Amino acid sequence: MNATRHTTATLVSMGTSVLSLRIDGELLERLRHHAAKRGMSVQDYVVRTLVRDDFDERFQAAVDETEKFYGVT
């Protein structure tokens, strides 16, 4: 069964914004499972994952720039 479900995540920074996602039912079930293992809501799990991924990208960019500056690469 390929039912499409909706989930909403709220991203908080200076203000609050709402992000509505259309995702596959199987993906939503996997997200629910991962969130439940951590005692989190799906919304909190998705937001935490996005924040972590954003940090990883910014950290890697900083490492790349530092290596470029020092001629390591």
Side-chain angles (χ1 to χ4, degrees), residues 13-70:
S13 58
M14 291 296 197
T16 300
S17 299
V18 175
L19 172 64
S20 178
L21 303 171
R22 184 179 307 252
I23 62 174
D24 181 86
E26 288 181 33
L27 175 57
L28 180 57
E29 287 306 312
R30 288 198 312 270
L31 290 171
R32 284 183 177 143
H33 178 74
H34 290 300
K37 285 194 319 189
R38 291 161 180 80
M40 303 172 76
S41 68
V42 172
Q43 176 178 319
D44 290 342
Y45 177 76
V46 169
V47 170
R48 188 187 83 166
T49 302
L50 290 171
V51 168
R52 184 180 62 228
D53 186 57
D54 180 59
F55 171 81
D56 290 348
E57 286 182 24
R58 289 183 290 125
F59 182 78
Q60 187 59 53
V63 168
D64 293 345
E65 284 297 314
T66 300
E67 288 178 347
K68 183 178 165 185
F69 179 79
Y70 287 106

Side-chain angles (χ1 to χ4, degrees), residues 4-16:
T4 302
R5 310 249 174 130
H6 291 69
T7 187
T8 303
T10 303
L11 305 177
V12 179
S13 58
M14 291 296 197
T16 300

